[in-house]
Each structure stands twice: as structure tokens, then as C-alpha cells.
Amino acid sequence: MKKIFLCVLLMISCLAPIIAQVNTTVATRHKIAVFTPLYLDDAFSANGVYKYDPKSFPKAAIPGLEFYHGVSMAVDSLNALNIPLDLYIYDSKSATQSIESQFNKAAADGVELIIANCSLADIEKLAKLAVSKKITLLNAAVPNDVNARNNPYFVVLNPTLPTQGEQIYAYLKKNYPNQQIIYLTRPGASENYLKSVFETLNKADRSTAMHIKFVEVKDTLSPAQVAANLVKGKAALFVIGSLDNVYADKLLTQLSQLQKTYSSITVMGMPTWDNLTFSKYKGVELIYSTPFYNARTDAASRNINSYYSAKMFARPSDLVFRGFGLMYRFGRLLNLFGANIPAIMQSKQFSVFYNYDIQPVSRENKIDYYENKKLYFLTYLNGSLKSIK
């Protein structure tokens, strides 16, 4: 795998930005740019000499390269369909070219849409540049709206914390309308915000409000808190209202131990749970939300898995699939609708791996930005992870 990544680094170091023509038909050619962290200046000297041992490469470059690799495979698919596009690749972590200068170059070249797999700081810069140049920017990774206001050119694909909170609440209300919910939390900015979402929505529901008990917990439930919230022979439903996985791990470990004494225990968590090792928490049903769930059972996923296994001796990460899906979908939509942003955002066509529900977020009848409102809910119990409605 290291050799493959090194070859990719050597290949993409030749041009900055990289420009790839997607077929050579005479039809109207649209232009897409991709910003992703490649760290090329860390890997190569000014005269193009590779700085690392031939068998190694900078680890910081791996996520950006994986996203790029997914994009490049999508280009192959678009080529096969004779979709007339030009693709520009920019290194968001270039040491010699700022985000601003690279964006201005893309704008001067006539780029109509940008897919950005970037850090929060870089996304914030790109969002301001996008509205100034009226170029659609897809924020592919960061679940943050960067306080965008009156910016209909900015699209958040990883749902923000408000959206996550609202949809987790809606899921619980739909599936557990009459069950007591024990909401575990602690002081903290994101914890306080998530708690306020539940409190506000539940208060607004009035006659159909859920039975939510808010319990402040430091790291583990005390014996008194266990006695007050767990009843032998009765199912228990908890929500861990924190994005901190260290905190979640401590509580889940304790609840896993308690399930031997009490009846079924179900715990709702946050999208950060993607990084937890669920097999540790035996006997507890875990539920959490994610915007990018892929069971990898479809033909396209199997083909990518087979390619990685044969060529890289590895399993492709989520970033490979995300890069592929975004490039393929929005490449085709741009070809179909041109720079008609509302039409592109409303279309459900050409989805690969992930479904999106992109909606305008508005205030005073003005669009602040667009956001993907689609979330998948997953359940895990004793080794089995599956998508649920």
C-alpha cells in the first residue's frame, strides 16, 4: 500500500494544480475543482526530489490522497459515459500557494463548482471566496456552517450539530414515544447546546412531549444514579448527549457491565461514535446517526473493494467512497444543469453510495447556505451493525 501511495504522490506532484480532461467531446465542457490536503511541499523539495525513504510517505497526506483516489476513479467512470468535464486538483495544504491564490486561479480558469475536503479553517476561507465569486462550494467533510450568512453558494454535506440534535430527537420521538428517556450529560459547550435542543423541542411539543429525565454525570453513573434509573426486568433507554468519545466510552463500559443484572439497555449516541470499538460493549444495543453509511454490498462498492484488495492490499476508507460519490454525482449534475444551483441541489439523481437531502437554510426569506439533512440511523448489538429507519 505504501508503494501505491508513493506512486500516486509522485504522479500528482508533477502539476499544481492538476488538470484532467474528462473525455474530449465537443459538447459544452464544465469545470470542477477539488481541494484536498496532499502536503506535496512536505513530500518534495523545490526541484521535485522526494524527501522521504522510497518505502515511506507522509502520513498526514493519507486522508487527502484517499479522497483524491476516489475522485480519480469517478473520473474514469465519467469518461466511460463521455461526460465533458475538466477537473482541477488543488493541494489545500500547499506551503507555497495560499488557499486564496489557488481559489483565484480556479475562478480565473472558469471553474463552476468546487468540492472541498478541507479543514474547518480552510472551509471558512473558501466559503467567503465562493460567495464573492459566485462559485458553488461543496463542504464535503466538516459538519459546520462556518457562520455562513446570505451565501447560497455554500453547501454543507456533513450535517451540522443543530441538524444532528433535531433529527436524533425526531428519531426517538417516532420510535420510543412513550418510553422514559434518561439523558446523560455534563457541563460543556456542545453538551449544553445538545441538551438545549432536546429541551426546546420537547417543550414545543407540549401534549406529545416525551418523558425525558436529564441526569448530569461526570464519568460514570453513581450507585444512586443507577438505582434511580435502572429497574430490574424493565427496558432502559439512555441518550449520551456528548460528542466526546472518551466520556461516551466510560459510560458505555459501565452500562455494558450493568446489563448482566438489568433487563435490555439501549443507548442512543452521537455521529462521533463511528470511531468507537463497539465490540467492547457486549449486551447493550447501540444506536447512532451518520450521514455517510455504506454497507458496501452494491456493485460499485464491491468493485472498489476488489480494486483496493488487489492493488493496494488494503480496505478503502470512507473518504475513497465519498470522493468517488461526490465527483460522479455532481459531475453528472453539472453536466445536466450547468451552474443552475437550485436545480442541482434539488435533484435526487446520480446518487452513489449515499443519499442526500439538500435543503436551503434560510432566515428572513434569504438563503444562508444549503445543508444535507439526510441521516442514517445504525444499530449495533453483539457483533451486528445494520441500518434502521
Side-chain angles (χ1 to χ4, degrees):
M1 182 175 178
K2 288 185 177 180
K3 290 183 179 179
I4 295 293
F5 272 122
L6 178 56
C7 289
V8 173
L9 267 174
L10 290 168
M11 178 180 69
I12 63 179
S13 68
C14 298
L15 288 175
I18 306 113
I19 304 173
Q21 283 198 338
V22 184
N23 88 51
T24 56
T25 60
V26 184
T28 301
R29 303 191 67 83
H30 294 285
K31 299 182 178 183
I32 293 180
V34 172
F35 281 73
T36 191
L38 298 172
Y39 294 91
L40 295 179
D41 294 312
D42 289 350
F44 296 91
S45 65
N47 57 358
V49 177
Y50 190 60
K51 297 179 182 179
Y52 289 76
D53 180 272
K55 295 183 179 180
S56 65
F57 55 92
K59 291 183 179 180
I62 295 176
L65 281 169
E66 289 178 327
F67 191 82
Y68 165 80
H69 201 189
V71 168
S72 67
M73 287 190 286
V75 168
D76 291 339
S77 297
L78 293 170
N79 265 325
L81 295 170
N82 291 318
I83 303 297
L85 294 171
D86 288 338
L87 171 64
Y88 299 74
I89 305 292
Y90 292 89
D91 181 2
S92 64
K93 292 303 179 183
S94 171
T96 57
Q97 299 181 60
S98 67
I99 285 286
E100 291 82 0
S101 65
Q102 292 186 87
F103 183 96
N104 289 334
K105 178 64 169 61
D109 286 335
V111 164
E112 300 159 273
L113 185 144
I114 294 173
I115 301 173
N117 170 45
C118 296
S119 66
L120 176 60
D122 290 337
I123 286 292
E124 189 168 9
K125 294 175 184 176
L126 287 169
K128 293 176 181 177
L129 293 165
V131 69
S132 70
K133 298 291 187 180
K134 298 184 178 180
I135 298 174
T136 303
L137 171 68
L138 305 179
N139 170 9
V142 183
N144 196 301
D145 63 15
V146 298
N147 295 315
R149 296 294 178 265
N150 195 24
N151 185 350
Y153 297 91
F154 182 51
V155 186
V156 182
L157 296 175
N158 192 345
T160 60
L161 187 57
T163 295
Q164 293 278 358
E166 291 164 6
Q167 295 213 25
I168 290 170
Y169 175 89
Y171 176 88
L172 291 169
K173 186 173 178 61
K174 175 184 176 182
N175 293 279
Y176 302 92
N178 300 312
Q179 187 167 343
Q180 172 82 62
I181 297 173
I182 310 302
Y183 188 105
L184 307 178
T185 186
R186 64 178 184 181
S190 63
E191 288 85 356
N192 293 342
Y193 179 80
L194 284 166
K195 180 183 176 182
S196 72
V197 169
F198 271 68
E199 288 176 326
T200 300
L201 291 173
N202 210 38
K203 185 179 293 185
D205 283 343
R206 296 183 181 180
S207 61
T208 60
M210 293 189 292
H211 307 290
I212 305 176
K213 180 180 180 181
F214 295 95
V215 180
E216 188 169 307
V217 180
K218 290 184 178 179
D219 288 315
T220 58
L221 288 159
S222 67
Q225 289 172 327
V226 171
N229 297 300
L230 285 171
V231 179
K232 291 182 179 179
K234 188 176 181 180
L237 174 61
F238 290 88
V239 174
I240 298 181
S242 175
L243 301 177
D244 184 347
N245 278 354
V246 174
Y247 177 70
D249 174 66
K250 291 177 180 178
L251 289 173
L252 288 171
T253 298
Q254 183 186 19
L255 290 172
S256 178
Q257 295 166 349
L258 292 171
Q259 64 82 27
K260 297 176 183 177
T261 303
Y262 295 90
S263 186
S264 65
I265 297 176
T266 300
V267 187
M268 168 67 78
M270 297 294 137
T272 49
W273 280 19
D274 267 331
N275 298 316
L276 288 176
T277 304
F278 291 157
S279 59
K280 293 170 56 179
Y281 319 117
K282 298 185 184 301
V284 175
E285 181 184 14
L286 309 178
I287 303 174
Y288 75 107
S289 62
T290 177
F292 303 116
Y293 175 66
N294 178 12
R296 304 192 184 191
T297 56
D298 61 285
S301 294
R302 292 198 304 270
N303 288 338
I304 290 176
N305 280 332
S306 297
Y307 175 85
Y308 259 71
S309 178
K311 300 293 184 181
M312 298 189 178
F313 310 101
R315 190 170 185 265
S317 75
D318 168 68
L319 285 170
V320 176
F321 290 96
R322 205 180 307 181
F324 184 103
L326 289 175
M327 183 62 205
Y328 182 87
R329 182 173 191 263
F330 286 96
R332 295 204 64 177
L333 288 175
L334 186 62
N335 179 64
L336 182 62
F337 295 111
N340 185 340
I341 298 173
I344 289 177
M345 295 303 110
Q346 292 168 15
S347 178
K348 305 296 183 183
Q349 300 179 78
F350 313 124
S351 291
V352 185
F353 313 133
Y354 314 112
N355 292 319
Y356 293 99
D357 179 20
I358 299 174
Q359 301 290 337
V361 178
S362 304
R363 292 187 312 168
E364 301 176 355
N365 297 320
K366 291 184 178 180
I367 297 175
D368 279 338
Y369 56 93
Y370 285 89
E371 181 179 356
N372 171 35
K373 301 291 185 176
K374 170 66 179 179
L375 285 176
Y376 296 89
F377 282 88
L378 308 181
T379 180
Y380 179 91
L381 180 61
N382 294 334
S384 176
L385 178 69
K386 62 183 180 180
S387 177
I388 53 178
K389 295 183 179 180

